[in-house]
Amino acid sequence: MKELLYLKDDQLKDLIEKIFVGYRETFSDSKKILDKYSIGLAHQKVIHLLSMYEGISISKLLAKLKVTKQSLNRVLKDLIKLEIIVFKKDEIDTRIKHVYLNEKGKKIFEEIFLLQKKRIYNALLDSSSEEVINFDKVLKKIING
Amino acid sequence: MKELLYLKDDQLKDLIEKIFVGYRETFSDSKKILDKYSIGLAHQKVIHLLSMYEGISISKLLAKLKVTKQSLNRVLKDLIKLEIIVFKKDEIDTRIKHVYLNEKGKKIFEEIFLLQKKRIYNALLDSSSEEVINFDKVLKKIING
DNA sequence: ATAATATGTCAATATAACTTACCTATAATG
DNA sequence: CATTATAGGTAAGTTATATTGACATATTAT
């Protein structure tokens, strides 16, 4: 954007609203499935990360979620009750706990993801690969702020 | 993306995580200012929309926020106590209430926005105008699902 | 031996939202 | 004019998610 010399506040406000709405809609499509298993948005996020990062440690999960361990533990306890996660101690450093979705957990994730990904999938399908690459690029820059 | 024939689940998972992180970071930069006025994220969103849509009606505000009116009213009462919003009845249909930020409200919004926009501003500044246009395009497609 | 790290837990509180129910005022429509 | 719809408000109780602060245990690193 250097060539434009300025970025108008109105454009920035508009983008901020869109980031909010995009997030909200992306994480509300799968609500029916969450209700089916009596879990919520916090559980969905944890399951999502467990699917992406199999065997992630508690501290890394905390770092990705940016919540306190008290908050995360409530969610993990619910997922244990649901019988969808398992833990394995690190073989070298036994303080570290690795968290995994079991088969049931993976199935439930697929149920959630099937609904959630539709919105993104359709948006990308309707875009050129360059548009998609640029979307990803800018989003990454926003995150790395 | 039609030319690619498929979109991998891993790419979609990654984007969904980024959408979450992008939202969270975008709405956490201004926390210090919110604390200063003893308000929270819900208030920030309302103030943001009032800055974008001056004189918006209650029902349109509700539609944009997608919350219940009980929830919105808690926030509006706090903003009234803070003395930063005013109402004007619609001249034609007096059932309709238009909501405005007053001068104090506009100043507080600017304080919040100054911190919040930096992240987006820098990301856009570091991008080509085509990247920015494509980011906006894809985000719009995600929203309009 | 001591300090740091990884994790867990108890208790209290805060924030933002929800459901259910009911209310007033005004406008639109037959 | 009577009825219905719309715009908005309110009360009570509840839920979801997160916080702070304090403390505890096991293990690893120095």
Side-chain angles (χ1 to χ4, degrees), chain A residues 1 3 9 13 17-18 24 51 53 64-65 117 119 124 126-127 129 134 136 141-142, chain B residues 1 3 9 13 17-18 24 48 51 53 64 117 119 124 126-127 129 131 134 136 141-142:
Chain A
M1 289 294 274
E3 72 269 22
D9 274 359
K13 285 185 198 177
E17 188 193 355
K18 284 200 187 108
R24 185 188 61 201
S51 166
Y53 309 103
K64 288 204 176 290
L65 290 165
K117 73 181 174 186
R119 175 181 299 273
L124 300 193
D126 190 33
S127 307
S129 52
N134 288 340
D136 189 70
K141 283 173 193 166
I142 289 172
Chain B
M1 290 293 275
E3 71 269 21
D9 275 0
K13 285 184 199 177
E17 188 193 354
K18 284 201 188 105
R24 184 189 61 200
H48 189 96
S51 166
Y53 310 104
K64 288 203 177 290
K117 73 180 175 187
R119 175 181 297 275
L124 301 193
D126 189 33
S127 307
S129 52
E131 283 172 338
N134 289 340
D136 189 70
K141 284 174 192 166
I142 289 172

Side-chain angles (χ1 to χ4, degrees), chain B residues 7 42 45 84 88 96 101 138 145:
Chain B
L7 289 160
K45 285 175 184 169
I84 68 171
K88 278 186 204 164
I96 298 170
L101 288 174
V138 176

Side-chain angles (χ1 to χ4, degrees), chain B residues 39-117:
Chain B
I39 56 180
L41 184 56
H43 306 80
Q44 174 175 7
K45 285 175 184 169
V46 169
I47 291 170
H48 189 96
L49 291 176
L50 293 180
S51 166
M52 290 183 75
Y53 310 104
E54 292 181 52
I56 191 173
S57 69
I58 299 290
S59 57
K60 283 186 180 166
L61 206 42
L62 285 172
K64 288 203 177 290
L65 291 165
K66 287 207 186 173
V67 295
T68 59
K69 52 186 173 169
Q70 293 88 331
S71 195
L72 175 59
N73 267 336
R74 176 189 67 95
V75 175
L76 291 180
K77 276 175 186 169
D78 291 340
L79 299 183
I80 292 167
K81 267 187 200 157
L82 247 184
E83 298 184 312
I84 68 171
I85 59 170
V86 291
F87 301 104
K88 278 186 204 164
K89 280 201 171 183
D90 187 280
E91 289 186 358
I92 296 161
D93 185 341
T94 61
R95 291 173 304 179
I96 298 170
K97 253 168 80 170
H98 299 282
V99 194
Y100 299 83
L101 288 174
N102 62 16
E103 287 310 309
K104 186 182 169 194
K106 285 175 187 169
K107 273 181 194 161
I108 290 179
F109 168 73
E110 288 301 331
E111 275 191 85
I112 295 168
F113 188 53
L114 189 64
L115 287 185
Q116 191 185 25
K117 73 180 175 187

Side-chain angles (χ1 to χ4, degrees), chain A residues 2 58 66 69 83 96 116 136 139 143:
Chain A
K2 284 159 202 156
I58 299 289
K66 284 204 189 176
K69 54 186 173 170
E83 298 183 313
I96 298 170
Q116 190 185 23
D136 189 70
L139 194 48
I143 289 171

